[in-house]
């Protein structure tokens, strides 16, 4: 086992457990000087094409979340976490944990089941606590465009704030200090008419082509 890499993973779990937040754990990992998975693999001479190259060089809540939700650090091997939407399609969807194929004891574990559960329990308790304070001033949690609006610079999905007047912002502008990314908040009620108009134009164009 790579002891240094294992220490990075272990600390992600312990910090998440202690702080109850992926983002706070990421800031602490950055402060402590641990390399992100990408930087560590690069230092070991591993050449890998990362989907979001620049943003993987600094710790973020997303990186910590992927680590803390990876059950393979328990010593098991996991299969069937995604499935194609339909036969012949390349698009896939995430499968919920109960339907995964998990083979325990496949390799040496980095963390214990107790630490894994404690980290997730801390996250859930923090969500409930935060939700209780903000429930009265939150707007609709769901939106037809949630997860579809992207930053024009880094191409990550914009994060939606479910306020009374929901807004979108690029968290990577702040967590990665990327000043080229989308600045400030964009109101959802300003985005929707633009998107609907664009969709209508595409529908009309398809109608013209099919004639």
């Amino acid at each position: 086992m790579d002891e240094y890499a294992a220490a990075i993973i272990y600390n992600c779990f312990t910090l998440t457990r202690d702080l109850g937040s992926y983002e706070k754990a990421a800031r602490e990992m950055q402060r402590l000087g641990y390399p992100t998975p990408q930087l560590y693999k690069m230092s070991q001479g591993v050449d890998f094409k990362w989907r979001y190259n620049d943003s993987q060089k600094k710790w973020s809540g997303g990186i910590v979340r992927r680590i803390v939700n990876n059950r393979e650090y328990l010593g098991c091997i996991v299969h069937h976490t995604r499935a194609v939407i339909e036969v012949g399609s390349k698009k896939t969807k995430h499968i919920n944990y109960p339907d995964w194929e998990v083979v325990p004891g496949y390799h040496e574990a980095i963390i214990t089941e107790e630490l894994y559960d404690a980290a997730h329990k801390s996250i859930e308790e923090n969500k409930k606590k935060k939700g209780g304070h903000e429930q009265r001033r939150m707007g609709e949690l769901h939106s037809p465009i949630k997860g579809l609006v992207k930053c024009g610079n880094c191409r990550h999905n914009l994060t939606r704030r479910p306020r009374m007047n929901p807004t979108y912002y690029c968290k990577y502008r702040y967590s990665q200090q990327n000043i080229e990314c989308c600045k400030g908040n964009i109101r959802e009620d300003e985005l929707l008419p633009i998107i609907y108009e664009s969709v209508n134009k595409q529908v009309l164009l398809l109608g013209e082509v099919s004639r």
Side-chain angles (χ1 to χ4, degrees), residues 56-82:
Q56 298 292 335
K57 295 177 181 177
K58 185 176 180 181
W59 284 98
S60 67
I63 296 176
V64 175
R65 183 180 67 251
R66 285 192 291 274
I67 290 173
V68 174
N69 282 280
N70 190 340
R71 298 189 66 87
E72 293 191 351
Y73 297 127
L74 290 164
C76 57
I77 188 168
V78 181
H79 299 291
H80 193 58
T81 60
R82 300 191 69 83

PDB file of all heavy atoms in Angstrom, residues 56-82:
ATOM      1  N   GLN A  56      -8.725  20.477 -10.678  1.00  0.00           N
ATOM      2  CA  GLN A  56      -8.307  19.322  -9.888  1.00  0.00           C
ATOM      3  C   GLN A  56      -6.973  19.550  -9.178  1.00  0.00           C
ATOM      4  O   GLN A  56      -6.510  18.693  -8.433  1.00  0.00           O
ATOM      5  CB  GLN A  56      -8.188  18.087 -10.794  1.00  0.00           C
ATOM      6  CG  GLN A  56      -9.475  17.665 -11.458  1.00  0.00           C
ATOM      7  CD  GLN A  56     -10.489  17.133 -10.475  1.00  0.00           C
ATOM      8  OE1 GLN A  56     -10.139  16.655  -9.418  1.00  0.00           O
ATOM      9  NE2 GLN A  56     -11.771  17.245 -10.806  1.00  0.00           N
ATOM     10  N   LYS A  57      -6.366  20.721  -9.385  1.00  0.00           N
ATOM     11  CA  LYS A  57      -5.054  20.991  -8.791  1.00  0.00           C
ATOM     12  C   LYS A  57      -5.150  21.656  -7.429  1.00  0.00           C
ATOM     13  O   LYS A  57      -4.146  21.885  -6.765  1.00  0.00           O
ATOM     14  CB  LYS A  57      -4.223  21.860  -9.747  1.00  0.00           C
ATOM     15  CG  LYS A  57      -3.890  21.131 -11.047  1.00  0.00           C
ATOM     16  CD  LYS A  57      -3.131  22.012 -12.007  1.00  0.00           C
ATOM     17  CE  LYS A  57      -2.834  21.260 -13.305  1.00  0.00           C
ATOM     18  NZ  LYS A  57      -2.150  22.106 -14.296  1.00  0.00           N
ATOM     19  N   LYS A  58      -6.382  21.983  -7.020  1.00  0.00           N
ATOM     20  CA  LYS A  58      -6.606  22.566  -5.704  1.00  0.00           C
ATOM     21  C   LYS A  58      -7.795  21.869  -5.060  1.00  0.00           C
ATOM     22  O   LYS A  58      -8.767  21.549  -5.731  1.00  0.00           O
ATOM     23  CB  LYS A  58      -6.886  24.067  -5.832  1.00  0.00           C
ATOM     24  CG  LYS A  58      -7.015  24.782  -4.503  1.00  0.00           C
ATOM     25  CD  LYS A  58      -7.199  26.281  -4.707  1.00  0.00           C
ATOM     26  CE  LYS A  58      -7.337  26.998  -3.371  1.00  0.00           C
ATOM     27  NZ  LYS A  58      -7.546  28.458  -3.555  1.00  0.00           N
ATOM     28  N   TRP A  59      -7.705  21.617  -3.772  1.00  0.00           N
ATOM     29  CA  TRP A  59      -8.772  20.894  -3.086  1.00  0.00           C
ATOM     30  C   TRP A  59     -10.108  21.627  -3.169  1.00  0.00           C
ATOM     31  O   TRP A  59     -10.161  22.847  -3.029  1.00  0.00           O
ATOM     32  CB  TRP A  59      -8.403  20.670  -1.628  1.00  0.00           C
ATOM     33  CG  TRP A  59      -7.399  19.577  -1.434  1.00  0.00           C
ATOM     34  CD1 TRP A  59      -6.055  19.724  -1.264  1.00  0.00           C
ATOM     35  CD2 TRP A  59      -7.657  18.173  -1.423  1.00  0.00           C
ATOM     36  NE1 TRP A  59      -5.455  18.500  -1.145  1.00  0.00           N
ATOM     37  CE2 TRP A  59      -6.410  17.529  -1.239  1.00  0.00           C
ATOM     38  CE3 TRP A  59      -8.812  17.402  -1.549  1.00  0.00           C
ATOM     39  CZ2 TRP A  59      -6.305  16.134  -1.174  1.00  0.00           C
ATOM     40  CZ3 TRP A  59      -8.703  16.023  -1.494  1.00  0.00           C
ATOM     41  CH2 TRP A  59      -7.465  15.399  -1.302  1.00  0.00           C
ATOM     42  N   SER A  60     -11.163  20.878  -3.397  1.00  0.00           N
ATOM     43  CA  SER A  60     -12.519  21.426  -3.429  1.00  0.00           C
ATOM     44  C   SER A  60     -13.447  20.441  -2.732  1.00  0.00           C
ATOM     45  O   SER A  60     -13.086  19.273  -2.513  1.00  0.00           O
ATOM     46  CB  SER A  60     -12.988  21.646  -4.872  1.00  0.00           C
ATOM     47  OG  SER A  60     -13.152  20.398  -5.532  1.00  0.00           O
ATOM     48  N   GLY A  61     -14.650  20.903  -2.405  1.00  0.00           N
ATOM     49  CA  GLY A  61     -15.626  20.026  -1.779  1.00  0.00           C
ATOM     50  C   GLY A  61     -15.961  18.830  -2.647  1.00  0.00           C
ATOM     51  O   GLY A  61     -16.213  17.731  -2.150  1.00  0.00           O
ATOM     52  N   GLY A  62     -15.963  19.049  -3.965  1.00  0.00           N
ATOM     53  CA  GLY A  62     -16.282  17.963  -4.889  1.00  0.00           C
ATOM     54  C   GLY A  62     -15.263  16.836  -4.836  1.00  0.00           C
ATOM     55  O   GLY A  62     -15.618  15.656  -4.911  1.00  0.00           O
ATOM     56  N   ILE A  63     -13.981  17.185  -4.728  1.00  0.00           N
ATOM     57  CA  ILE A  63     -12.933  16.163  -4.659  1.00  0.00           C
ATOM     58  C   ILE A  63     -13.078  15.362  -3.372  1.00  0.00           C
ATOM     59  O   ILE A  63     -13.013  14.124  -3.372  1.00  0.00           O
ATOM     60  CB  ILE A  63     -11.534  16.812  -4.730  1.00  0.00           C
ATOM     61  CG1 ILE A  63     -11.332  17.496  -6.085  1.00  0.00           C
ATOM     62  CG2 ILE A  63     -10.446  15.766  -4.508  1.00  0.00           C
ATOM     63  CD1 ILE A  63     -10.023  18.255  -6.211  1.00  0.00           C
ATOM     64  N   VAL A  64     -13.284  16.058  -2.255  1.00  0.00           N
ATOM     65  CA  VAL A  64     -13.453  15.369  -0.972  1.00  0.00           C
ATOM     66  C   VAL A  64     -14.691  14.484  -1.003  1.00  0.00           C
ATOM     67  O   VAL A  64     -14.671  13.337  -0.531  1.00  0.00           O
ATOM     68  CB  VAL A  64     -13.547  16.377   0.190  1.00  0.00           C
ATOM     69  CG1 VAL A  64     -13.856  15.662   1.501  1.00  0.00           C
ATOM     70  CG2 VAL A  64     -12.255  17.172   0.318  1.00  0.00           C
ATOM     71  N   ARG A  65     -15.789  14.984  -1.568  1.00  0.00           N
ATOM     72  CA  ARG A  65     -17.027  14.211  -1.638  1.00  0.00           C
ATOM     73  C   ARG A  65     -16.821  12.907  -2.404  1.00  0.00           C
ATOM     74  O   ARG A  65     -17.298  11.842  -1.982  1.00  0.00           O
ATOM     75  CB  ARG A  65     -18.140  15.034  -2.294  1.00  0.00           C
ATOM     76  CG  ARG A  65     -19.481  14.297  -2.324  1.00  0.00           C
ATOM     77  CD  ARG A  65     -20.583  15.120  -2.964  1.00  0.00           C
ATOM     78  NE  ARG A  65     -20.341  15.324  -4.372  1.00  0.00           N
ATOM     79  CZ  ARG A  65     -19.985  16.497  -4.915  1.00  0.00           C
ATOM     80  NH1 ARG A  65     -19.839  17.565  -4.159  1.00  0.00           N
ATOM     81  NH2 ARG A  65     -19.766  16.617  -6.204  1.00  0.00           N
ATOM     82  N   ARG A  66     -16.122  12.958  -3.532  1.00  0.00           N
ATOM     83  CA  ARG A  66     -15.887  11.736  -4.318  1.00  0.00           C
ATOM     84  C   ARG A  66     -15.063  10.721  -3.526  1.00  0.00           C
ATOM     85  O   ARG A  66     -15.304   9.512  -3.611  1.00  0.00           O
ATOM     86  CB  ARG A  66     -15.195  12.088  -5.639  1.00  0.00           C
ATOM     87  CG  ARG A  66     -16.135  12.716  -6.660  1.00  0.00           C
ATOM     88  CD  ARG A  66     -15.495  12.786  -8.034  1.00  0.00           C
ATOM     89  NE  ARG A  66     -14.405  13.747  -8.073  1.00  0.00           N
ATOM     90  CZ  ARG A  66     -14.554  15.041  -8.305  1.00  0.00           C
ATOM     91  NH1 ARG A  66     -15.769  15.545  -8.493  1.00  0.00           N
ATOM     92  NH2 ARG A  66     -13.513  15.857  -8.340  1.00  0.00           N
ATOM     93  N   ILE A  67     -14.093  11.209  -2.760  1.00  0.00           N
ATOM     94  CA  ILE A  67     -13.266  10.307  -1.948  1.00  0.00           C
ATOM     95  C   ILE A  67     -14.098   9.679  -0.833  1.00  0.00           C
ATOM     96  O   ILE A  67     -14.085   8.464  -0.630  1.00  0.00           O
ATOM     97  CB  ILE A  67     -12.059  11.071  -1.363  1.00  0.00           C
ATOM     98  CG1 ILE A  67     -11.069  11.434  -2.482  1.00  0.00           C
ATOM     99  CG2 ILE A  67     -11.355  10.236  -0.285  1.00  0.00           C
ATOM    100  CD1 ILE A  67      -9.926  12.326  -2.034  1.00  0.00           C
ATOM    101  N   VAL A  68     -14.838  10.521  -0.099  1.00  0.00           N
ATOM    102  CA  VAL A  68     -15.595  10.048   1.064  1.00  0.00           C
ATOM    103  C   VAL A  68     -16.757   9.136   0.665  1.00  0.00           C
ATOM    104  O   VAL A  68     -17.223   8.334   1.473  1.00  0.00           O
ATOM    105  CB  VAL A  68     -16.093  11.259   1.893  1.00  0.00           C
ATOM    106  CG1 VAL A  68     -17.010  10.838   3.031  1.00  0.00           C
ATOM    107  CG2 VAL A  68     -14.892  12.033   2.457  1.00  0.00           C
ATOM    108  N   ASN A  69     -17.213   9.205  -0.579  1.00  0.00           N
ATOM    109  CA  ASN A  69     -18.302   8.348  -1.038  1.00  0.00           C
ATOM    110  C   ASN A  69     -17.805   7.100  -1.768  1.00  0.00           C
ATOM    111  O   ASN A  69     -18.612   6.340  -2.306  1.00  0.00           O
ATOM    112  CB  ASN A  69     -19.246   9.136  -1.943  1.00  0.00           C
ATOM    113  CG  ASN A  69     -20.185  10.024  -1.161  1.00  0.00           C
ATOM    114  OD1 ASN A  69     -21.196   9.575  -0.635  1.00  0.00           O
ATOM    115  ND2 ASN A  69     -19.846  11.303  -1.045  1.00  0.00           N
ATOM    116  N   ASN A  70     -16.495   6.905  -1.765  1.00  0.00           N
ATOM    117  CA  ASN A  70     -15.911   5.751  -2.455  1.00  0.00           C
ATOM    118  C   ASN A  70     -15.733   4.593  -1.471  1.00  0.00           C
ATOM    119  O   ASN A  70     -14.852   4.611  -0.615  1.00  0.00           O
ATOM    120  CB  ASN A  70     -14.551   6.139  -3.058  1.00  0.00           C
ATOM    121  CG  ASN A  70     -14.012   5.058  -3.988  1.00  0.00           C
ATOM    122  OD1 ASN A  70     -14.417   3.896  -3.918  1.00  0.00           O
ATOM    123  ND2 ASN A  70     -13.086   5.437  -4.850  1.00  0.00           N
ATOM    124  N   ARG A  71     -16.556   3.576  -1.603  1.00  0.00           N
ATOM    125  CA  ARG A  71     -16.535   2.443  -0.678  1.00  0.00           C
ATOM    126  C   ARG A  71     -15.335   1.524  -0.897  1.00  0.00           C
ATOM    127  O   ARG A  71     -15.068   0.638  -0.068  1.00  0.00           O
ATOM    128  CB  ARG A  71     -17.831   1.635  -0.796  1.00  0.00           C
ATOM    129  CG  ARG A  71     -19.085   2.414  -0.426  1.00  0.00           C
ATOM    130  CD  ARG A  71     -20.295   1.505  -0.350  1.00  0.00           C
ATOM    131  NE  ARG A  71     -20.193   0.550   0.736  1.00  0.00           N
ATOM    132  CZ  ARG A  71     -20.590   0.794   1.983  1.00  0.00           C
ATOM    133  NH1 ARG A  71     -21.094   1.975   2.309  1.00  0.00           N
ATOM    134  NH2 ARG A  71     -20.481  -0.134   2.899  1.00  0.00           N
ATOM    135  N   GLU A  72     -14.586   1.716  -1.958  1.00  0.00           N
ATOM    136  CA  GLU A  72     -13.424   0.865  -2.203  1.00  0.00           C
ATOM    137  C   GLU A  72     -12.323   1.090  -1.172  1.00  0.00           C
ATOM    138  O   GLU A  72     -11.458   0.230  -0.985  1.00  0.00           O
ATOM    139  CB  GLU A  72     -12.899   1.088  -3.620  1.00  0.00           C
ATOM    140  CG  GLU A  72     -13.870   0.601  -4.691  1.00  0.00           C
ATOM    141  CD  GLU A  72     -13.272   0.566  -6.078  1.00  0.00           C
ATOM    142  OE1 GLU A  72     -12.140   1.082  -6.248  1.00  0.00           O
ATOM    143  OE2 GLU A  72     -13.925   0.028  -6.989  1.00  0.00           O
ATOM    144  N   TYR A  73     -12.363   2.237  -0.486  1.00  0.00           N
ATOM    145  CA  TYR A  73     -11.375   2.483   0.563  1.00  0.00           C
ATOM    146  C   TYR A  73     -11.654   1.627   1.795  1.00  0.00           C
ATOM    147  O   TYR A  73     -10.847   1.608   2.732  1.00  0.00           O
ATOM    148  CB  TYR A  73     -11.345   3.964   0.928  1.00  0.00           C
ATOM    149  CG  TYR A  73     -10.916   4.832  -0.236  1.00  0.00           C
ATOM    150  CD1 TYR A  73     -11.686   5.923  -0.646  1.00  0.00           C
ATOM    151  CD2 TYR A  73      -9.756   4.546  -0.944  1.00  0.00           C
ATOM    152  CE1 TYR A  73     -11.306   6.700  -1.722  1.00  0.00           C
ATOM    153  CE2 TYR A  73      -9.369   5.312  -2.029  1.00  0.00           C
ATOM    154  CZ  TYR A  73     -10.154   6.387  -2.415  1.00  0.00           C
ATOM    155  OH  TYR A  73      -9.763   7.163  -3.484  1.00  0.00           O
ATOM    156  N   LEU A  74     -12.788   0.923   1.798  1.00  0.00           N
ATOM    157  CA  LEU A  74     -13.113  -0.009   2.883  1.00  0.00           C
ATOM    158  C   LEU A  74     -12.499  -1.383   2.634  1.00  0.00           C
ATOM    159  O   LEU A  74     -12.654  -2.296   3.447  1.00  0.00           O
ATOM    160  CB  LEU A  74     -14.632  -0.154   3.019  1.00  0.00           C
ATOM    161  CG  LEU A  74     -15.388   1.066   3.557  1.00  0.00           C
ATOM    162  CD1 LEU A  74     -16.876   0.921   3.280  1.00  0.00           C
ATOM    163  CD2 LEU A  74     -15.138   1.220   5.041  1.00  0.00           C
ATOM    164  N   GLY A  75     -11.827  -1.524   1.497  1.00  0.00           N
ATOM    165  CA  GLY A  75     -11.194  -2.794   1.166  1.00  0.00           C
ATOM    166  C   GLY A  75     -11.997  -3.654   0.212  1.00  0.00           C
ATOM    167  O   GLY A  75     -11.618  -4.776  -0.107  1.00  0.00           O
ATOM    168  N   CYS A  76     -13.125  -3.129  -0.243  1.00  0.00           N
ATOM    169  CA  CYS A  76     -13.961  -3.899  -1.169  1.00  0.00           C
ATOM    170  C   CYS A  76     -13.745  -3.420  -2.601  1.00  0.00           C
ATOM    171  O   CYS A  76     -13.079  -2.420  -2.849  1.00  0.00           O
ATOM    172  CB  CYS A  76     -15.429  -3.759  -0.790  1.00  0.00           C
ATOM    173  SG  CYS A  76     -16.021  -2.052  -0.743  1.00  0.00           S
ATOM    174  N   ILE A  77     -14.315  -4.149  -3.526  1.00  0.00           N
ATOM    175  CA  ILE A  77     -14.321  -3.715  -4.917  1.00  0.00           C
ATOM    176  C   ILE A  77     -15.777  -3.548  -5.321  1.00  0.00           C
ATOM    177  O   ILE A  77     -16.639  -4.342  -4.905  1.00  0.00           O
ATOM    178  CB  ILE A  77     -13.595  -4.727  -5.842  1.00  0.00           C
ATOM    179  CG1 ILE A  77     -13.458  -4.145  -7.257  1.00  0.00           C
ATOM    180  CG2 ILE A  77     -14.299  -6.064  -5.876  1.00  0.00           C
ATOM    181  CD1 ILE A  77     -12.513  -4.931  -8.138  1.00  0.00           C
ATOM    182  N   VAL A  78     -16.056  -2.504  -6.079  1.00  0.00           N
ATOM    183  CA  VAL A  78     -17.433  -2.145  -6.394  1.00  0.00           C
ATOM    184  C   VAL A  78     -17.675  -2.190  -7.901  1.00  0.00           C
ATOM    185  O   VAL A  78     -16.878  -1.665  -8.688  1.00  0.00           O
ATOM    186  CB  VAL A  78     -17.763  -0.730  -5.865  1.00  0.00           C
ATOM    187  CG1 VAL A  78     -19.207  -0.374  -6.178  1.00  0.00           C
ATOM    188  CG2 VAL A  78     -17.503  -0.651  -4.361  1.00  0.00           C
ATOM    189  N   HIS A  79     -18.758  -2.816  -8.293  1.00  0.00           N
ATOM    190  CA  HIS A  79     -19.168  -2.886  -9.696  1.00  0.00           C
ATOM    191  C   HIS A  79     -20.603  -2.370  -9.836  1.00  0.00           C
ATOM    192  O   HIS A  79     -21.326  -2.242  -8.843  1.00  0.00           O
ATOM    193  CB  HIS A  79     -19.112  -4.323 -10.215  1.00  0.00           C
ATOM    194  CG  HIS A  79     -17.765  -4.947 -10.179  1.00  0.00           C
ATOM    195  ND1 HIS A  79     -16.722  -4.548 -10.989  1.00  0.00           N
ATOM    196  CD2 HIS A  79     -17.280  -5.948  -9.395  1.00  0.00           C
ATOM    197  CE1 HIS A  79     -15.655  -5.280 -10.731  1.00  0.00           C
ATOM    198  NE2 HIS A  79     -15.967  -6.134  -9.765  1.00  0.00           N
ATOM    199  N   HIS A  80     -20.971  -2.098 -11.056  1.00  0.00           N
ATOM    200  CA  HIS A  80     -22.366  -1.767 -11.403  1.00  0.00           C
ATOM    201  C   HIS A  80     -22.853  -0.524 -10.644  1.00  0.00           C
ATOM    202  O   HIS A  80     -23.910  -0.530 -10.021  1.00  0.00           O
ATOM    203  CB  HIS A  80     -23.276  -2.957 -11.109  1.00  0.00           C
ATOM    204  CG  HIS A  80     -24.648  -2.832 -11.718  1.00  0.00           C
ATOM    205  ND1 HIS A  80     -24.851  -2.670 -13.069  1.00  0.00           N
ATOM    206  CD2 HIS A  80     -25.884  -2.838 -11.148  1.00  0.00           C
ATOM    207  CE1 HIS A  80     -26.141  -2.594 -13.310  1.00  0.00           C
ATOM    208  NE2 HIS A  80     -26.803  -2.675 -12.163  1.00  0.00           N
ATOM    209  N   THR A  81     -22.059   0.568 -10.699  1.00  0.00           N
ATOM    210  CA  THR A  81     -22.484   1.826 -10.072  1.00  0.00           C
ATOM    211  C   THR A  81     -23.207   2.733 -11.067  1.00  0.00           C
ATOM    212  O   THR A  81     -23.838   3.702 -10.667  1.00  0.00           O
ATOM    213  CB  THR A  81     -21.276   2.588  -9.509  1.00  0.00           C
ATOM    214  OG1 THR A  81     -20.358   2.886 -10.576  1.00  0.00           O
ATOM    215  CG2 THR A  81     -20.572   1.772  -8.445  1.00  0.00           C
ATOM    216  N   ARG A  82     -23.094   2.388 -12.370  1.00  0.00           N
ATOM    217  CA  ARG A  82     -23.794   3.152 -13.398  1.00  0.00           C
ATOM    218  C   ARG A  82     -24.372   2.177 -14.417  1.00  0.00           C
ATOM    219  O   ARG A  82     -23.867   1.060 -14.576  1.00  0.00           O
ATOM    220  CB  ARG A  82     -22.859   4.151 -14.106  1.00  0.00           C
ATOM    221  CG  ARG A  82     -22.235   5.166 -13.185  1.00  0.00           C
ATOM    222  CD  ARG A  82     -21.540   6.284 -13.965  1.00  0.00           C
ATOM    223  NE  ARG A  82     -22.496   7.125 -14.670  1.00  0.00           N
ATOM    224  CZ  ARG A  82     -23.144   8.128 -14.107  1.00  0.00           C
ATOM    225  NH1 ARG A  82     -22.942   8.419 -12.845  1.00  0.00           N
ATOM    226  NH2 ARG A  82     -23.990   8.867 -14.807  1.00  0.00           N
TER     227      ARG A  82
END
